[in-house]
């Protein structure tokens, strides 16, 4: 007697909007754990027979995820999203930021655009990917702590080509309105601490005013900024490297000569610019100030700490990643952005990267962040074409 055909009944697959709603409901502000979101993705992929590999953070409160669909033994193509979001504090939202809310063709929620929209599209495409005879693997990559200097993905990248496959091409799905981005600037973050000497404000000659010296350093930063604008690359907006001070704190009371002043500053460098140019210029200027400060207070100091950097991204000429994204979107030109992403880190690790994803960067990080239904549909079409390209 022939064996009866086994019926596989599968619950209806969740829609991309249902997946986005679930992802937005996890508060994955960078300061929070992303484990609930990661567990959700692990369970979803497991339901489709796909195993996940996690790379936990040192304290175990966060993790990166790497999962492969399709044949092993080939490098394959990665689809990469960060799981974390920027805070909602101080922003006025028309609806709860962690409840995806539809209004007039737009889906509002923290991370809807940057970049849970792309992750939802990737997850919603998993049934399509698994239904195909893929000629090479698709890797799903989910990182943490992207919004605080692209720090979270680094331990995962260190595993690529070792105990995890190194994707040949990686599509970073940051919001580009499905445009093809082939370059972005570099980010270097610094904190300068000026230490002078306290004194009664009626006897300022006995002190070294840290705030006044910090002000001189900041003026020098503005002068350096002016010289940066002479080296231009018209592919970027603005077309030159930039530097600016973002925070300042110092002093204890109006009647005390302040001993300490701290300020943070950032350089956004063109890919071809020397990243050491600005700190070296500032250091030379600081030396001249220190000579004056130490005449009064020999222990005075000016210390600049390099707090971190995000490498620039510049796709190689003829990059297969850029060609793939252009073919999938039908774009006949590429552009650049001024924000930083994980793409430069992937390129440094030997993967060819390109940035292409749903949503407009203008909505990212803002109150009432949204992605349009049309952008999600465009991304789903992009991923369907991607599946076709990779199918036997
Ligand atoms: Zn982002």
């Amino acid at each position: 007697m022939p064996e009866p055909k086994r019926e596989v009944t599968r619950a209806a697959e969740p829609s991309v909007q249902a997946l986005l709603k679930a992802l937005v409901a996890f508060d994955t502000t960078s300061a929070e754990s992303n484990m609930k979101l990661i567990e959700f993705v692990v369970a979803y992929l497991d339901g489709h027979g796909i195993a996940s590999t996690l790379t936990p953070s040192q304290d175990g409160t966060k993790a990166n995820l790497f999962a492969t669909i399709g044949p092993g033994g080939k490098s394959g193509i990665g689809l990469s999203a960060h799981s974390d979001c920027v805070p909602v504090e101080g922003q006025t939202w028309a609806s709860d930021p962690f409840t995806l809310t539809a209004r007039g063709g737009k889906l509002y929620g923290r991370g809807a655009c940057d970049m849970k929209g792309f992750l939802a599209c990737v997850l919603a495409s998993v049934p399509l990917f698994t239904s195909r005879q893929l000629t090479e693997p698709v890797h799903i990559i989910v990182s943490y702590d992207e919004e605080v200097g692209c720090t979270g993905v680094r331990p995962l990248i260190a595993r690529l080509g070792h105990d995890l496959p190194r994707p040949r091409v990686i599509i970073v799905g940051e919001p580009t309105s499905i445009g093809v981005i082939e370059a972005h600037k570099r980010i270097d973050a610094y904190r300068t601490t000026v230490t002078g000497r306290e004194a009664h404000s009626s006897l300022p000659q006995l002190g070294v005013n840290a705030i006044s010296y910090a002000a001189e350093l900041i003026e020098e930063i503005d002068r350096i900024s002016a010289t940066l604008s002479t080296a231009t690359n018209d592919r970027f907006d603005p077309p030159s490297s930039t530097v600016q001070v973002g925070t300042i704190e110092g002093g204890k009371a109006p009647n005390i000569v302040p001993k300490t002043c701290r300020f943070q500053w950032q350089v956004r460098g063109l890919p071809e610019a020397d990243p050491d140019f600005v700190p070296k210029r500032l250091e030379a200027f600081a030396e001249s100030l220190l000579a004056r400060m130490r005449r009064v207070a020999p222990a005075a100091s000016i210390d600049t700490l390099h707090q971190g950097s995000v490498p620039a991204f510049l796709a190689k000429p003829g990059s297969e990643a850029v060609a793939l994204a252009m073919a999938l979107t039908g774009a006949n030109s590429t552009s650049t952005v001024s924000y930083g992403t994980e793409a430069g880190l992937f390129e440094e690790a030997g993967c060819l990267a390109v940035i292409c994803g749903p949503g407009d960067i203008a909505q990212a990080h803002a109150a009432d962040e949204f992605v349009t239904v049309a952008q999600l549909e465009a991304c789903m079409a992009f991923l369907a074409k991607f599946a076709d390209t990779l199918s036997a």
Side-chain angles (χ1 to χ4, degrees), residues 47-64:
H48 293 85
I50 302 154
S52 300
T53 303
L54 303 190
T55 306
S57 61
Q58 272 188 339
D59 65 2
T61 62
K62 297 174 185 178
N64 295 308

Side-chain angles (χ1 to χ4, degrees), residues 93 95 97 99-103 106-110 112 368-370:
W93 284 66
S95 53
T99 306
L100 191 73
T101 306
R103 291 195 296 274
K106 297 171 180 170
L107 303 167
Y108 292 86
R110 171 53 83 225
D368 293 330
E369 175 179 350
F370 68 84

Side-chain angles (χ1 to χ4, degrees), residues 29-74:
T29 309
S30 307
E32 304 294 330
S33 166
N34 75 337
M35 288 312 294
K36 290 249 153 60
L37 181 148
I38 291 294
E39 284 160 14
F40 171 84
V41 176
V42 167
Y44 176 84
L45 293 175
D46 186 59
H48 293 85
I50 302 154
S52 300
T53 303
L54 303 190
T55 306
S57 61
Q58 272 188 339
D59 65 2
T61 62
K62 297 174 185 178
N64 295 308
L65 178 147
F66 189 100
T68 299
I69 306 168
K74 285 186 177 172

Side-chain angles (χ1 to χ4, degrees), residues 76-93:
I77 301 191
L79 301 172
S80 166
H82 61 79
S83 62
D84 59 319
C85 302
V86 296
V88 297
E89 271 74 54
Q91 298 184 340
T92 308
W93 284 66

